[in-house]
Each structure stands twice: as C-alpha cells, then as structure tokens.
Amino acid sequence: MSDNEGGAGAPEAKNEPITIRVRDQTGEETFFKIKKSTKMSKVFNTYAQRKGVQMSSLRFLLDGERIAETMTPQDLELDDQDQIDCMLEQSGGL
Amino acid sequence: MRPFNEEEQRSIQNAIYGYGHDEDIISQDGMDSVQRQSMQTLKPGMWLNDEVIHYFYLMLSKRDEELCKIDPTRQRSHFFKSFFITKILNEGSASCDGKYEYRNVKRWSKKVPGKDIFKLDKILFPINMGNMHWIAAVIFMKKKRIEIFDSMGSDGSRYLNALFSYIQDEHMDKKKTPLTDIDEWELVPTQRATPRQRNGHDCGVFTCMFADFLSKDTALVFNQNHINQCRERIALSILNGKAII
C-alpha cells in the first residue's frame, strides 16, 4: 500500500502505536499496544509467556490464515483495535 | 500411487526421522510452516497435528492452482483450515460452546481465490473433533452437495448443517441476496463406501488422502493397507512444496 493514500480522516502518524486484540478460543481477549513496525513475534512471545504455554502450541490467525512471526502490523495492514485469533494446536488419531 | 525413487526415499527418511530441534522449520511457504516435531508425526502409528494437515492442504492448493493453469476450463478450489469449524461453532468458548456464529468467519473468504466462494469448484475442510479425531468435509459448489468423509464412519450432521448455513449466510452477506435453489442442495453423511481406518491413529492421514483424491476428482481408491505409503506421500509433498500427482 502506498503511504500517500492517507484517505480522509486518517491523520495519525505512520508509526503511532496501535492496540491489537488477541482473542483466544474461550472468547477471552488480551490487548497489546505495539508500533506498526514491531514484529508480531514480540506479541506472540509475550502472549505465550503470560499464558504459560509453549509458543509452538499456539496458532495466530488473521482472517483464517496463519500469521508469520516476522510480519509487522504494517505488513498485515492491521489497524487500531483489529482482532487476531489465537488457536491451540489440534491433534487426532482415533 | 507411484513408488518413490531412492533420492525421494532418502529425503523422506531424513525429514521424518532426522535429528534436530523440535522447533526447526522443515518447510515454509509464505505464512505457513512445518516444524520438525510436526513432521515427526508422519511416523507410522502417530497422530497427525494441525500443522501437517494444514500444510498438506496448502500443497493441494498449490497443485490445484497449477492444474487450473494447464486446463482453463477447470475452476479453482479452496482449502480452509480446521480452525474454520472451530470458530464458526465457537468450539471451546466459555459462554457459547457449540453455537453457530457466521460473524466469526465472515472475513475469511477474503483469502479465497477470486475472493468469492461462489466461483469455486470445491471447498475442502479438515475438521478436528475434540482434539481426538480428524475428518474431512467438502462443499461441491457446482454439484450443490456437501459431504462428510469420516474414516470412523460418523454422519457429521452438525458440520453439514453448519456448512450449509455458512454458504447461505455468506451469500446474504457478500451478494446481498438469499441463496436461491436451497432445496436443490444435498447434505450427505459419510457413505458406506468411504474408506475406513482399522486402528486408533490414522484418521489424520485419511483426512489428508480424502482431500488429495477429491481435489483432483479421483475416486477414493485407497484403504488402510496404503496408509503408511500415504504418510510418505504427505511428507514428500510437503518437502517438494507442492502435492505430488
């Protein structure tokens, strides 16, 4: 996306922090305030630590697709108050 | 299914049995990846996790894209993740576990080829049941048929109903009109001829193979005896970055 697009009513500075909501399967939401240029890995690691679970067992999704750790909110076109889903690893054999 | 050559055998063995850290990334494609510990679930007798199944479905999607380039009359299919059903049925929710809610997946079709599910040929879903069992569901958009493929034989009616509601809600939301001809649609539980597992660990492999065969319009001509070879087929597809034909 071009930085010049701006659009009406979007006066915010390019790297002003935004709040991202992480919603887990139970419906609980955790809020993170981060800069648009910060890698999502920072959010994921903090989240896993707070919940006391292994990062490798968590799946972070935006509109149903995995979010890579190296992406930033800017890459993902996340806006203030946007929500991402945090799902748990699933397994099965029976 | 074709046999593998020596070099392929070696890379399969190395990927499934090789030593290294659990979190090592064995394959990566865009946003999706497979860690070593997930790859190791392809050893005979082990339960598959979501990462392997989703990555294999992504490989099927790559193959589908290529098949559509070769044959312009062919329409694209889409492969959702198992979290689609988890979300649409609020599975695990503290307040409304099991309740159908379209809103939870309303934006997911943005990632569909052409951003329109009604232009697709098929939509394929892996479904995880209670962190115990894997099954597949397919919406045949052109044939107006939704079918469950469960290697344990359950009818999967709650998933059939949820997916039928989904296409109706999606039509209303994106096209602003109700889906017409709803009485022409057929909801089909697992059929007697659907291949069955004969043990307590291979359902994930069946779930991959259902999608593999159905997405290239082939009859489900495999059974339990082929499953360990199928595990290798999944591994090789993941390593090659595209499902093998």
Side-chain angles (χ1 to χ4, degrees), chain B residues 162-173:
Chain B
L163 293 174
F164 193 35
S165 299
Y166 167 68
I167 54 171
Q168 294 175 64
D169 286 339
E170 178 77 3
H171 201 278
M172 200 63 203
D173 186 62

Side-chain angles (χ1 to χ4, degrees), chain B residues 218-242:
Chain B
T218 320
L220 302 175
V221 288
F222 58 92
N223 62 43
Q224 180 68 58
N225 299 332
H226 305 111
I227 286 300
N228 285 342
Q229 194 196 338
C230 292
R231 285 177 177 268
E232 297 184 343
R233 182 182 167 84
I234 294 168
L236 188 61
S237 296
I238 289 175
L239 294 169
N240 283 359
K242 186 181 70 181

Side-chain angles (χ1 to χ4, degrees), chain B residues 128-212:
Chain B
N128 184 267
M129 295 170 69
N131 217 9
M132 296 283 281
H133 186 42
W134 289 108
I135 67 170
V138 181
I139 308 181
F140 298 91
M141 295 300 288
K142 296 289 163 281
K143 290 188 200 151
K144 300 187 182 175
R145 177 184 171 102
I146 309 177
E147 185 167 347
I148 296 291
F149 299 87
D150 181 351
S151 54
M152 293 284 269
S154 84
D155 63 9
S157 53
R158 57 192 295 257
Y159 304 119
L160 288 173
N161 292 330
L163 293 174
F164 193 35
S165 299
Y166 167 68
I167 54 171
Q168 294 175 64
D169 286 339
E170 178 77 3
H171 201 278
M172 200 63 203
D173 186 62
K174 305 295 185 308
K175 311 276 182 191
K176 310 296 173 204
T177 57
L179 183 69
T180 51
D181 315 328
I182 51 169
D183 41 355
E184 287 174 25
W185 280 79
E186 216 184 340
L187 306 189
V188 186
T190 304
Q191 297 294 283
R192 190 169 292 183
T194 303
R196 299 297 155 92
Q197 64 186 111
R198 302 260 175 260
N199 57 38
H201 46 251
D202 280 331
C203 63
V205 186
F206 277 89
T207 297
C208 287
M209 287 303 115
F210 292 144
D212 186 347

